[in-house]
Amino acid sequence: MAKIKTSDELIKKSNDCSSCLDAKFKGLKGKRAIVVCGGTGCLSSDSSSILKRFQELIKKNGMEDKVTANIVGCFGFCSQGPFVKIFPEETLYTKVKVADADEIFEKDIMGGEIVDRLLFVDPQTHEKASKQHEINFYKLQKRDVALRGNAEINPEDIEEAIGSGAFLALNKALHMSRQDVITEVLNSGLRGRGGAGFPTGRKWQFAYDVQSDEKYVVCNGDEGDPGAFMDRSIIEGNPINVIEGMMIEGYAIGAQNGYFYIRAEYPVAVDRLKNAIKQCEELGLLGDHILGTDFSFRCHIRLGAGAFVCGEETALLNSIEGQRGMPRPRPPFPAVKGLWDKPSVINNVETLANVPYILREGADAYAKIGTEKSKGTKVFALGGKVNNVGLVEVPMGTTLRQLIYDIGGGIPNGKKFKAIQTGGPSGGCLTEKDLDTPIDYDNLIAAGSMMGSGGAIVMDEDNCMVDVAKFYMTFICDESCGKCSPCRIGTKRCLEILEKITEGKGTMKDLDELKTLANVIKSNSLCGLGQTAPNPILSTMKSFYDEYVAHIVDKKCPAHVCKSLMQYKILPEKCAGCGLCARNCPAGAINKTDKVPAGKPETFPLRVHEIDPDKCVKCGLCQANCKFGAIIKD
Amino acid sequence: MAHLQGQAVKQITEIVERYKNERTPLMMILSDIQKEYGYIPLEVQELVSDLTGIPVSEIYGVVTFYSFFSLTPKGKYVVGVCLGTACYVKGSQLILDKFSELLKIKPGETSEDGLFTLDVLRCVGACAIAPAVSINGKVYPQVQVSQVQGIIDEYRAKENK
Amino acid sequence: MALVNIKIEGQSFQVEQGLTVLEACRKCGFNIPSLCAFNHGECSRASCRVCLVEVKGARGLVASCVYPVNEGMEISISSVRASEARRASVELLLSNHRKNCLECEKNGHCELLEVAKMVGARDGVFEGSKTPATIDHLAPSLIRETDKCILCGRCIARCKSAHGIAILGFENRGFNTIVSPVENRSFATSPCIQCGQCVTVCPTGALLENSEISKVDEAMKAGKLVIVQTAPAVRAAIAEEFGEKIGTPGTGKMVAALHRLGFYRVFDTNFAADLTIMEEASELLKRIKNNGVLPQITSCSPGWINYLEYYYPELEKHVSTCKSPHMMMGAIIKTYYAQKHDLDPNNIFVVSIMPCTAKKYERQRKQMPNDVDAVLTTRELAKLIKRAGINWSKLPEEEFDNDLLGEYSGAGVIFGVTGGVMEAALRTTYFWLTGKEHAAINFDAVRGLEGVREAAIEVNGTTIKVAIASGMKNAKILLEQIKAGTSPYAFIEIMGCPGGCINGGGQPYVKPLFLPNEDFNILDTYRNKRASVLYSEDEKQVVRQSHNNKDVQRLYQEFLGEPGSEIAEKLLHTSYDINREKYPNK
């Protein structure tokens, strides 16, 4: 590929590539295009074999010049994957298996006929949808800001990115003064998507104002919140967009080098990012004198190694510097003394993915999206007990109810909604009363949670909130770096109390102590991780105090989750006596009684079974195996 | 203390060389060694210390800080059960317990035959297909307790071939 | 330095810009409890969270040890919020601490206990399980008990800043974090030089010297002739243990105390320092005359010798074979002295009071197993004195016993200070080469190398270049030159501890919490004030050169013959273990 040396060359290249994309997607000259979802969810359902099969079929039929097949980023609707989409008709096939590839190819590509059985069926209306925009899941979303290009362009082909407008924002920025770029971002109202929501433009301004011959920009891709995969999908789906955001930031603050810090758990994202950086370098879009200007910039990738705390920006810097990921005291702030003691700005992946949109469309256009104090869109990883699990991008101001019910399709199996946990281990649980709250930074904090990076886990009546608090405390305890005493020792003490309570050994005094500890950890900890660590406890204690009391006073777990406080029981009136439960019981805890199943004569050879509570290890296998619904938790 | 073979010294030197133009490349070096050998014993840390000038204690501190680095060899198959929130609320703790019971090892341990290591994963970002289990990078979606034996058998069968 | 206006507890002050809130408050007379902060940034991790205060306008409480003062700042130490927070931090630390305070060796010097008192910590709050503990009593010099550790990191910072070898580090993370040598090994199976610098900065009883007080007790009870010797640096610091100002000479009272403790003889290791100079200077002379291996490096610091054996065994031939002074003293007491008084050497028990923990290891070296029977640190001596109910302030000044090994020169005294051995040796070497006494030697810092100094002296028309370094980080620079063949020096003095023996690992604790307000750079404060004791004693001595020590002269005439003689080689010289494994199998 020839290098792009000037603005004009970029614009020409952009137009050329754009025409190519048009030809592909709009079916010019009779072209057809097959795209297959390459998000981690679909890849684990073997979508790469589906793509391979399509490519074989194209070759076998000698249709290489007419039909293309390639991978794209995440469709977001992960519970329906793997996805295959056919252009120009934009027919969307869901839950595709390798074996389905031949049929799609034969009927749709060769015959122009839709494969009906692979279309999405709405679980409520039972209506089929052949196009993405007809599906409820997508209706309220706005997937063209941070998730721009996801599920459209080939993330491994820079020309498709350029064809979809990549680098035009950078080009525009390079024709502005550095201060003007920062002002533009300030005016857009963009706030950091990593957690606390600090205004991005102000962060940049701090670093810009510090005089230094060397500055760094760092992209925080250490997405460690359990239950969050926004950043991974953004990088996997359109790595160039993030690189462009980083370059604009680098230009604005006066940095020459940018570091991506990515979780090692994300190999696909890392590979695509590496590939994208290489292609940028080949085109001269990274390196010296970018687009013929004085701006020179290089991107580097550093991998995490399994430490949640490295998502904290100063711990992340230490990790890049080859040290234990322990947070640094502040001040000095990274904008003054950051990576290798040089002024540095650390921005989260999603934040950077917003930047090209702002420069390209203008701060005003961006600021039109969202609420008064939270502009733009937010990507959520919607998971847990919700029908439509997946990755969604919605304008700020969307309500939780819309998120859970309209987009998420409600709670499966007719269960009752109990809570939605946002903000990961630093966040809290929101309940029914919060459902109509428009999502933005300040509302979520006011409601007792926080935006966090965007994990949104729905819980139903089968989830025990004390257990959920214990889950987060276990996580934090494991992941506490151990540097400061409140977090190192305090979280351990909290966990010990929660363990006591879930084992039925808690006292009401423990609840007071738990609250005291939570407040100590909050006020005394060194870093943001520690300061927010007690939030899951505080928020569940606030909204589900009764559940705590039930564990302590009644020695009952209302959701039947805490093993010490529940038992499995066989309902004799429902037991058919088949013995499947007994055969599968690892503890040999299920015995035959001499009772005959309901409605059967004495001569019936089978007998009702019962569980010996002393032997039962509460693994739940019996319940999973029972075909008669005769086994319950009590 | 066992000393490193010439071949290993050469390989590790090569890994360190790979990053000679990078600033503070310790994490990258250790990641590569972990990938190459499956673990980072003290002898290797000493060699890295000699080659980089970083005190062994600091390297050791880094190795024991990050959960990806291991001081002892891992099993041939590393079974990672995700305990991320999305997986947890869908019952992945039960999956982990089942693996633990069937493999007779606790999380973090390696089976006596050296075949399996059981690890707890902190969200692999596959929340949409929760609960997820990852074995040497292959992700198993929506795993149920009743499937666990089958998954283990699949790998045992591979060995017996 | 620019000044800023601040308010502490509503009162206005002017302080230097660049100070932390903690420093500024201490300077203005407000004591904030703190634990992890140490020595103006040598260790500033803000990790213990004990020094939290409120600063108007700041987000949340601030850790005063790292938060810089700025113009117009208003600090509140006494607010309910801040004082409760400080108490909670301490109580959390205590909940993971083995609280056997009554029997703890650190009792009386424990900063954690002091801080607990300051914040009003309550008993039994936040109780729970404890981090799995490691108790290491294997090494002769140092012990480590992780259940007393508060993870402040001072020891780690000190080991690294003094020696660059960083034996100690953090291991694991979260609640399982401990401070340890790699693999949680013992100091005995790690390449630790046993210098004890870590012990001097530990705020709790997690790091201590391996006490030999009970050995001395047993010897006394068994009716042995227990002869004690004290190293020069001990007298420069012992008074601190009794509440006297840093830099108060303690020689006379110390000797008086030792007499009262029942020692058979009280000798000054300075005698042996003069003896060392005789041997070491003659060795140097020989090397110079015979084109021997140069530079020659001093050998009196056992910490440095450990470092040599672990890290630079290939430079073994550069190191003087002289035993360290107290070992020479032990050897002479058990031979010459015993013979002269017709005593059974097996009934003599030699105790060395040293500013050093590595000497405990040294006395057990297989090359010289019987010279010295116990080594006590300055701190252990103070314990002996206190235990016996001796009132330091009421002690008279007494003289060392003048019994064959009594006289010492000023050259011997300055052994305790970095550069002292070099200066003493040069005084003698110069005399032997020229027949004239040399005036004082001035060392200049080697350009760009803080902590490494050099000097040049003219001897009969040729220039001899010499250098000194203390702390292994500095020594490494000189050693690397030798390895590279570029060392311009004939003679090098290396001391294990930064600043030399006066700052040794066996010296009284350096406690930031109890320091006078002006002492921010604790190390320099201690170093200079203690050093001044030794320099002024040197100046007071009539005999200032080792070769002019009359007792030493008699020892050679009557017993040893001449420096380097066969018997001198046997008694006063040693060899080194150059095959020491850094990480032997546990």
Side-chain angles (χ1 to χ4, degrees), chain C residues 150-423:
Chain C
I150 56 158
L151 301 182
C152 67
R154 285 189 199 170
C155 53
I156 297 174
R158 170 51 56 86
C159 187
K160 196 177 175 190
S161 69
H163 303 313
I165 48 178
I167 285 300
L168 289 169
F170 291 111
E171 175 175 331
N172 303 327
R173 73 175 179 214
F175 194 68
N176 293 319
T177 311
I178 53 169
V179 170
S180 69
V182 297
E183 292 184 319
N184 198 10
R185 283 166 171 264
S186 162
F187 283 123
T189 52
S190 308
C192 165
I193 65 171
Q194 321 259 347
C195 74
Q197 279 298 311
C198 52
V199 175
T200 64
V201 298
C202 180
T204 71
L207 291 167
L208 288 166
E209 69 268 43
N210 204 340
S211 174
E212 295 186 75
I213 288 181
S214 61
K215 290 198 184 91
V216 178
D217 289 345
E218 279 162 30
M220 290 268 193
K221 265 188 221 147
K224 294 208 168 187
L225 296 181
V226 185
I227 298 177
V228 70
Q229 56 169 324
T230 70
V234 177
R235 70 204 59 179
I238 181 82
E240 294 167 27
E241 286 276 356
F242 302 96
E244 303 218 38
K245 276 192 182 147
I246 305 163
T248 306
T251 321
K253 287 183 183 242
M254 174 184 73
V255 174
L258 289 168
H259 281 137
R260 275 149 192 77
L261 287 169
F263 288 102
Y264 175 73
R265 285 288 179 274
V266 180
F267 286 131
D268 193 335
T269 310
N270 285 352
F271 169 84
D274 283 334
L275 189 57
T276 305
I277 291 303
M278 298 297 282
E279 293 296 321
E280 197 156 349
S282 101
E283 187 183 346
L284 176 63
L285 217 58
K286 235 183 264 172
R287 288 185 192 227
I288 293 174
K289 281 187 178 156
N290 304 341
N291 275 334
V293 179
L294 285 174
Q296 174 175 307
I297 311 175
T298 58
S299 59
C300 31
S301 166
W304 142 238
I305 293 302
N306 287 336
Y307 185 77
L308 167 87
E309 291 177 336
Y310 280 130
Y311 300 92
Y312 287 92
E314 66 274 27
L315 299 185
E316 178 211 10
K317 295 286 173 236
H318 286 273
V319 181
S320 163
T321 56
C322 286
K323 287 180 184 175
S324 77
H326 84 114
M327 297 304 285
M328 285 195 182
M329 190 75 169
I332 293 299
I333 289 172
K334 289 192 179 178
T335 53
Y336 170 71
Y337 181 84
Q339 284 165 29
K340 290 284 278 189
H341 286 297
D342 200 17
L343 300 171
D344 175 8
N346 289 325
N347 199 35
I348 297 177
F349 190 91
V350 177
V351 178
S352 304
I353 312 287
M354 296 284 130
C356 180
T357 51
K359 299 267 183 203
K360 287 174 183 278
Y361 171 84
E362 182 190 33
R363 77 156 189 88
Q364 297 180 39
R365 293 178 75 96
K366 58 181 188 291
Q367 296 91 340
M368 37 187 160
N370 298 316
D371 293 348
V372 169
D373 302 288
V375 169
L376 304 184
T377 60
T378 309
R379 297 185 294 262
E380 286 173 274
L381 171 59
K383 243 177 225 172
L384 280 189
I385 297 172
K386 288 174 188 167
R387 191 182 70 170
I390 294 168
N391 183 340
W392 177 265
S393 65
K394 295 278 189 277
L395 281 169
E397 307 265 335
E398 288 179 8
E399 299 274 328
F400 283 104
D401 294 336
N402 195 352
D403 181 10
L404 295 172
L405 315 175
E407 186 174 323
Y408 61 89
S409 72
V413 179
I414 55 171
F415 256 56
V417 191
T418 172
V421 179
M422 170 68 71
E423 185 157 352

Side-chain angles (χ1 to χ4, degrees), chain B residues 1 57-58 60-61 64-65, chain C residues 160 166 171-173 183 585:
Chain B
M1 165 152 309
S57 60
E58 277 177 29
Y60 184 77
T64 57
F65 186 87
Chain C
K160 196 177 175 190
E171 175 175 331
N172 303 327
R173 73 175 179 214
E183 292 184 319
N585 285 330

Side-chain angles (χ1 to χ4, degrees), chain A residues 1-277:
Chain A
M1 281 188 279
K3 292 213 178 224
I4 301 171
K5 295 194 213 76
T6 63
S7 275
D8 293 343
E9 284 179 28
L10 174 71
I11 288 162
K12 187 177 172 298
K13 179 85 178 175
S14 185
N15 290 334
D16 292 350
C17 293
S18 180
S19 308
C20 288
L21 266 191
D22 276 353
K24 177 175 163 184
F25 290 140
K26 295 190 178 146
L28 303 182
K29 300 174 199 160
K31 285 202 174 183
R32 306 289 301 279
I34 307 169
V35 300
V36 180
C37 181
T40 294
C42 289
L43 283 178
S44 63
S45 302
D46 215 9
S47 66
S48 53
S49 297
I50 301 173
L51 175 70
K52 214 171 122 211
R53 184 61 193 153
F54 279 127
Q55 285 165 338
E56 281 167 17
L57 290 166
I58 293 168
K59 207 171 169 192
K60 201 171 123 196
N61 291 288
M63 300 171 77
E64 288 98 327
D65 52 346
K66 274 232 163 323
V67 184
T68 59
N70 63 266
I71 211 110
V72 294
C74 184
F75 275 76
F77 198 3
C78 306
S79 49
Q80 295 292 322
F83 293 94
V84 169
K85 197 171 175 180
I86 310 289
F87 290 94
E89 298 83 358
E90 298 191 26
T91 311
L92 183 71
Y93 294 115
T94 59
K95 292 191 175 173
V96 179
K97 296 193 172 56
V98 185
D100 300 327
D102 284 73
E103 188 181 343
I104 294 173
F105 196 83
E106 203 174 296
K107 285 197 181 148
D108 192 328
I109 301 294
M110 310 281 282
E113 176 194 341
I114 288 177
V115 184
D116 212 47
R117 67 176 183 89
L118 292 174
L119 296 180
F120 175 74
V121 185
D122 190 291
Q124 262 110 44
T125 62
H126 306 288
E127 276 174 30
K128 281 190 176 158
S130 69
K131 306 258 190 300
Q132 198 168 326
H133 60 82
E134 295 166 1
I135 301 173
N136 276 337
F137 177 75
Y138 290 104
K139 277 185 186 162
L140 287 175
Q141 292 198 47
K142 177 166 177 54
R143 297 173 71 92
D144 63 350
V145 182
L147 290 178
R148 181 187 157 76
N150 251 37
E152 269 172 38
I153 60 164
N154 181 347
E156 290 168 352
D157 183 353
I158 191 170
E159 295 198 323
E160 290 207 358
I162 293 175
S164 72
F167 297 110
L168 293 180
L170 173 72
N171 185 42
K172 195 169 158 194
L174 291 178
H175 286 89
M176 296 159 70
S177 76
R178 294 171 192 271
Q179 181 60 59
D180 285 350
V181 174
I182 294 172
T183 307
E184 192 76 3
V185 174
L186 267 173
N187 290 342
S188 75
L190 175 64
R191 294 167 70 172
R193 297 291 191 250
F198 192 80
T200 306
R202 271 174 64 197
K203 240 186 191 182
W204 293 15
Q205 189 73 55
F206 288 146
Y208 172 84
D209 290 342
V210 180
Q211 293 297 316
S212 173
D213 51 340
E214 230 180 310
K215 293 180 187 178
Y216 294 100
V217 293
V218 178
C219 174
N220 184 348
D222 191 54
E223 184 176 51
D225 285 19
F229 54 99
M230 298 75 53
D231 295 346
R232 193 204 60 198
S233 299
I234 289 170
I235 295 176
E236 283 178 4
N238 191 353
I240 299 281
N241 194 38
V242 188
I243 294 173
E244 188 182 0
M246 181 187 257
M247 291 171 76
I248 294 168
E249 180 190 9
Y251 171 73
I253 71 156
Q256 299 81 37
N257 287 284
Y259 283 80
F260 284 97
Y261 186 88
I262 315 278
R263 289 182 84 192
E265 288 92 331
Y266 290 173
V268 178
V270 171
D271 283 349
R272 290 196 186 149
L273 190 60
K274 267 187 194 157
N275 172 60
I277 291 172

